[in-house]
Amino acid sequence: MIPNASEAEKLLSDLVSFPSTAGQSNAEIINYIKSYLENLNVDVWLDAHKDGKRFNLFATFGKGKIDGIILSGHTDVVPATENEWDHHPFTLTKKNQNLIGRGAVDMKGFLAITLAMAPYFKKFEDEFKNPIHFAFTFDEELGTFGASQILEFFKNEGIKPKIAIVGEPTGMVPLVGHKGGLEMITEIKGSSGHSSDPRGKVNSLYYAAKLISFIEKLNSDLSISTNKITPFNPPYSSLSVGYIKGGQARNIIPNYCYFDWEIRPLPEDDPYLILSKIKTYASKTLEPEMKKNFEGSEIKMKEVSFCPPMEARFKSPALDLINKLWKFNKPSVASYGTDGGHFQSIGIETIVFGPGEMKYMHQPNECIKVSEIEEGLIFLKNLCNYLQNNNI
Ligand SMILES: [Zn+2]
């Protein structure tokens, strides 16, 4: 009774039909998964965000929560703009063996595979030497908020798995590490007036421009100062400003603006050290200059989220396990964050490994192939067989 691809396909179709866009409630998709697992007599726990609208889900096959393997995926997806799609993004469409829909590859495909395998895991769970856990998170796409929260849940429930497999689409290539992400919003408050007389006014856009130039310079300095041997690309901690908003009209001096920006640190670099240089420039150089003209001037830096980097471990029990269960693929690293950084931060050996191609992530007509779903099922079947005979 090995679940076949069409069962996973049916589950994927249901999962895609919940438009669980990051930042919104994921209660519907979580309740669907919970009922599905409870119908198989699987123990399920929900870990609610304090807003009561977003949930992590944890489930266990086999005995105990102290060790074992986590299979992890996020339940949220990035938004879909319907007119950019050939089909409705939240209706799974099959075309030439491609399954198309928002989240098909990132990463409801992996969730569907794990759920399709759940009856199989249940059947053999008494023989498992170590348990299998599902850890499904919320708001990974916004800033790995669910994974950050689930660590506290693990602590409270005494859950200490040894290995985590984060099933992001890597084309079944093990990703052993990734950069982190510190996401920031900076607000600049100045003073307003008619543009015909800028004297004594604090133009918030001018100060944003100065600060952004400083960030650009810091990025450029980092890019040339590093001669480290690192597997990451680019081979330095990078900074980027992505969005700016402020002002009302050409002839009004803007008293307020804000911009979104980020630091993507290498695992060995401290992003807060980089941040402190920017904060110092803002508070010691720019703010005093602004306050000379308007005492109420201010530069505020707000941290939106922090996704810890995942140190690249080319030798680890997690990679060993993947190599026992799947054909050898040269391990790689990524420059984007995943929930994996949080798991590694509490001592769980973590690897990012899953079916489907990265190039379809976050794109219109996002898809996963039926053959990739089959690969994922075979991998999990291998894992199930392995756990019946071996300790990890
Ligand atoms: Zn993802």
Side-chain angles (χ1 to χ4, degrees), residues 74 106 140-141 168:
H74 57 82
D106 182 18
E140 189 268 355
E141 301 287 4
E168 293 274 5

Side-chain angles (χ1 to χ4, degrees), residues 63-137:
K63 286 175 280 297
K65 293 184 282 185
I66 300 301
D67 56 10
I69 296 178
I70 292 180
L71 300 175
S72 179
H74 57 82
T75 57
D76 59 309
V77 293
V78 293
T81 309
E82 205 177 324
N83 60 15
E84 293 175 350
W85 287 66
D86 296 340
H87 310 276
H88 190 272
F90 297 108
T91 305
L92 191 73
T93 306
K94 192 171 182 178
K95 214 169 157 185
N96 302 329
Q97 298 301 302
N98 289 320
L99 303 168
I100 306 160
R102 175 53 87 222
V105 76
D106 182 18
M107 55 183 295
K108 291 177 174 176
F110 182 75
L111 298 182
I113 289 163
T114 58
L115 294 177
M117 284 300 292
Y120 198 78
F121 293 158
K122 193 68 195 164
K123 185 177 174 192
F124 293 104
E125 68 174 354
D126 290 341
E127 296 165 39
F128 287 174
K129 305 258 191 273
N130 298 100
I132 291 178
H133 314 286
F134 290 173
F136 298 162
T137 60

Side-chain angles (χ1 to χ4, degrees), residues 19 25 60 88 110 141 144 164 168 192 243 268 276 346 371-372 376:
S25 171
T60 288
H88 190 272
F110 182 75
E141 301 287 4
T144 62
E168 293 274 5
S192 192
Y243 182 82
E268 61 269 37
S276 73
I346 57 162
S371 59
E372 291 164 342

Side-chain angles (χ1 to χ4, degrees), residues 362-379:
H362 302 195
Q363 299 298 314
N365 303 319
E366 172 183 346
C367 69
I368 189 165
K369 292 184 179 64
V370 172
S371 59
E372 291 164 342
I373 295 276
E374 285 166 351
E375 284 186 328
L377 290 168
I378 294 166
F379 171 75

Side-chain angles (χ1 to χ4, degrees), residues 170 172-176 319 322-323 329-333 351-353:
T170 66
M172 304 302 269
V173 171
L175 286 189
V176 295
L319 183 58
I322 299 290
N323 286 335
N329 275 319
K330 199 169 174 288
S332 185
V333 295
I351 200 144
V352 184
F353 179 84

Side-chain angles (χ1 to χ4, degrees), residues 32 68 78 115 122 125 149 196 198 219-220 242 249 251 279 281 293 331 358 362 379:
Y32 169 88
V78 293
L115 294 177
K122 193 68 195 164
E125 68 174 354
Q149 177 182 299
S196 60
N219 177 70
S220 151
N251 55 2
K279 281 186 168 169
Y281 177 69
N293 279 327
M358 282 184 220
H362 302 195
F379 171 75

